[in-house]
């Protein structure tokens, strides 16, 4: 699994240590560049390594920001795979105050993809081709723009809903403006910063938006909406 930010009394880490003690094979990617949690993550990594867990520290030059777990379980004569993919950190404290999304699945297409991802992250294989999941910096940006353009091509029947922690990518913002100027309804919810001008009829970028109904609207709430 990947550990980006966890709490001081983490039940997740305790469960990983217990699994290792029970003779299970445990591999954990600990991100040492997690903002504000660098020291805590170093301590967790050391504790896991001391217990015999296979600990890796991500890809050189990149921050591993994903929150993903893969469990392989013997069921009869087969090995079943279960995957958890989430927007929230495996952190018992923030889980009580943050709003997040999580997917727990045994869909073979997704579990195969996540298995390939972990093989890459732990150094057992090169970058794979993924059928279902989007992996940054390989494919997420391209696929998001493709999905926006699909709705753009539907004109006034198009509907785009974006929920992010921040929206700052110029290419994606331009794609949203293009979709809006084509008539698609675009609602963007950003927890922190959004670098477009919401509901601004005279705003000009590479793609002009000239109608109030066709410009993305930014909605920002008072609570920490952590889902993306």
């Amino acid at each position: 699994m990947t550990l980006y930010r966890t709490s001081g009394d983490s039940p997740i880490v305790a469960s990983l240590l217990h699994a290792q003690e029970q003779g299970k094979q445990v591999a954990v990617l600990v991100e040492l560049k997690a903002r504000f949690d660098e020291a805590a993550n170093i301590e967790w990594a050391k504790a896991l390594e001391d217990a015999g867990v296979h600990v890796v520290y991500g890809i050189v030059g990149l921050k591993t920001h994903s929150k993903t777990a893969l469990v392989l379980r013997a069921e009869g004569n087969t090995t079943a795979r279960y995957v958890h993919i989430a927007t929230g950190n495996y952190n018992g404290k923030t889980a009580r105050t943050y709003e997040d999304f999580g997917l727990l699945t045994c869909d073979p297409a997704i579990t195969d993809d996540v298995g390939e991802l972990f093989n890459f992250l732990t150094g057992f294989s090169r970058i794979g081709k993924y059928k279902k999941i989007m992996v940054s910096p390989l494919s997420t940006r391209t696929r998001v723009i493709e999905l926006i353009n699909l709705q753009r091509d539907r004109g006034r029947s198009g509907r785009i809903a974006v929920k992010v922690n921040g929206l700052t990518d110029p290419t994606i913002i331009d794609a949203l403006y293009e979709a809006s100027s084509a008539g698609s309804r675009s609602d963007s919810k950003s927890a922190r910063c959004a670098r477009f001008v919401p509901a601004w009829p005279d705003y000009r970028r590479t793609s002009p938006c000239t109608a109030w109904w066709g410009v993305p609207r930014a909605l920002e709430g008072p609570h920490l909406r952590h889902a993306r």
Side-chain angles (χ1 to χ4, degrees), residues 113 116-117 119-121 125-131 133 135 138-139:
D113 277 359
E116 285 294 320
L117 175 63
N119 284 338
F120 170 62
L121 292 175
S125 70
R126 298 189 178 187
I127 297 174
K129 292 184 178 179
Y130 306 104
K131 305 184 216 56
I133 66 174
V135 179
L138 302 176
S139 60

Side-chain angles (χ1 to χ4, degrees), residues 133-192:
I133 66 174
M134 294 184 290
V135 179
S136 298
L138 302 176
S139 60
T140 302
R141 191 174 189 239
T142 300
R143 183 58 179 154
V144 167
I145 292 171
E146 287 176 354
L147 292 171
I148 292 172
N149 290 343
L150 283 174
Q151 297 306 307
R152 176 201 63 193
D153 295 342
R154 296 182 63 201
R156 293 200 180 193
S157 298
R159 178 73 167 85
I160 301 168
V162 181
K163 192 172 190 302
V164 291
N165 211 33
L167 182 55
T168 61
D169 186 284
T171 305
I172 290 178
I173 291 171
D174 283 342
L176 287 170
Y177 271 107
E178 286 184 14
S180 292
S181 63
S184 297
R185 168 88 177 265
S186 177
D187 288 322
S188 300
K189 298 179 182 180
S190 177
R192 293 180 183 174

Side-chain angles (χ1 to χ4, degrees), residues 56-93:
V56 294
Y57 299 99
I59 308 302
V60 175
L62 296 175
K63 178 186 287 189
T64 304
H65 196 251
S66 66
K67 292 84 180 179
T68 312
L70 170 66
V71 175
L72 280 70
R73 183 171 182 264
E75 296 183 356
N77 295 323
T78 64
T79 300
R81 290 183 171 193
Y82 298 92
V83 160
H84 182 248
I85 301 174
T87 61
N89 301 301
Y90 294 116
N91 185 311
K93 293 181 180 178

Side-chain angles (χ1 to χ4, degrees), residues 24 28 93 96 130 181 223:
K24 312 300 182 184
V28 180
K93 293 181 180 178
R96 297 183 181 94
Y130 306 104
S181 63
H223 305 296

